[in-house]
Amino acid sequence: MENFNIYTKETVANLISRRNGETKLGEVLHFVETFEALESTKAKFVIFGIPEDIGVRANYGKPGTATAWKAFLSAFLNIQQNRFNTADNCVLLGEIDCEKWMKEAGSIASNELDYHKKLGGLVSEIDDTVSKIVSRIVSAGKIPIIIGGGHNNAYGNIKGTSAALKKPINVLNIDAHTDLRKTEHRHSGNGFRYALQEGFLEKYAVFGLHQNYTPEHIFEFMKSSKNLHFQLFEELLPFSTAEKMNELQKSCAFLDKRFGLEIDCDAIANFDSSAKSPSGFSLNEIRFFVRELRKHYPLHLHICEASANKNPMIGKSLAYLVSDFLND
């Protein structure tokens, strides 16, 4: 597969902190040599990373999401394998090679005419790669777990899954924002709008939407369609975690069939992300949501918008969310 680095045990060996008498997930994870080999593995989940922040920059946001994948990997590989955690059902596939796109994005001066539009052109190229990889994974009967990059990559996840299943899909997005901005050029704020417009996305629900950062035209757009649903975070403020989960189940009921699961780290309070906020869900609440939502057997899990530039705990936080999703 072009623009993709398939991992081997040797690729990640130096990231594992070995200790006598202990077994880390990185020591027992499954690997494949080719995409074709995915069909013959018994593992149910396939993990890969997207180390880019071009979509965020194209949306006038702060860079940093390119760092999430490596931070996650260092933490995830060193989780203890025990009666609660196992790597038996998981393949570590590798990462999209974003180096050329990141270099090209870096060569465009921020004061250059059409700067954000030019970044959007690179995002479209990444879209193509993401959708092809996700399609291959889903076609092999597996569930992709995608880490890193901006929320622009939701478009590729949705398109790829839709192509593999040969029908539009539904998506649940836990997010402070809808990412339904207009289709001016591709960026992290309009992936779902493009997916809707192009027929890859059927029903879409946003849980935890922040009213302070949602334009009125977005509210009007969502209210105009029976296939769009949102739950404001402000409406959830008086609720306990269990009550919030009950509300989240209503969003699942709205989607009424298996759905892709998107988690934007902007939804987590005080979490280092492209649009960090002092208000939002706690990390433990998100962990609880993931543990409950996995019972719906999501089509994919995408965790995005995290930035690990300044906080070593970000990678560990992402690893918690993935381990929660993996364990039955």
Side-chain angles (χ1 to χ4, degrees), residues 109-288:
S110 59
N111 60 354
E112 191 171 330
L113 187 65
D114 291 334
Y115 169 70
H116 297 95
K117 188 174 181 179
K118 289 178 180 178
L119 291 179
L122 299 177
V123 173
S124 294
E125 294 179 24
I126 297 172
D127 286 341
D128 185 58
T129 297
V130 174
S131 64
K132 288 178 180 176
I133 292 165
V134 170
S135 181
R136 292 290 293 272
I137 295 171
V138 175
S139 294
K142 312 302 179 185
I143 298 174
I145 298 175
I146 308 105
I147 305 296
H151 219 160
N152 44 290
N153 296 305
Y155 170 79
N157 300 334
I158 296 166
K159 180 180 179 180
T161 303
S162 174
L165 299 178
K166 297 180 173 57
K167 60 182 180 181
I169 68 166
N170 294 345
V171 171
L172 172 62
N173 181 23
I174 301 177
D175 198 343
H177 317 98
T178 64
D179 293 338
L180 285 171
R181 291 185 181 277
K182 295 178 180 179
T183 53
E184 49 198 351
H185 62 267
R186 280 290 291 119
H187 55 64
S188 64
N190 60 17
F192 297 98
R193 189 69 168 260
Y194 270 92
L196 281 168
Q197 183 174 291
E198 296 177 11
F200 304 123
L201 177 59
E202 185 174 5
K203 285 189 174 183
Y204 175 50
V206 186
F207 186 76
L209 181 64
H210 286 207
Q211 65 184 29
N212 285 9
Y213 295 96
T214 303
E216 177 58 28
H217 72 86
I218 296 293
F219 284 123
E220 292 172 358
F221 176 71
M222 295 197 78
K223 285 293 187 179
S224 69
S225 173
K226 64 180 181 180
N227 285 345
L228 303 178
H229 172 78
F230 66 88
Q231 174 76 63
L232 288 175
F233 180 78
E234 287 75 12
E235 295 172 340
L236 301 169
L237 284 172
F239 294 169
S240 67
T241 299
E243 289 170 330
K244 290 172 184 173
M245 188 63 231
N246 288 336
E247 293 300 307
L248 185 51
Q249 294 290 8
K250 294 178 183 178
S251 292
C252 297
F254 166 79
L255 296 173
D256 70 32
K257 64 180 180 181
R258 285 184 67 194
F259 50 81
L261 176 57
E262 299 274 335
I263 299 177
D264 188 316
C265 293
D266 293 343
I268 307 173
N270 299 307
F271 197 96
D272 285 2
S273 64
S274 62
K276 185 176 180 179
S277 173
S279 180
F281 299 112
S282 71
L283 178 61
N284 285 342
E285 285 180 320
I286 297 292
R287 289 190 64 190
F288 178 62

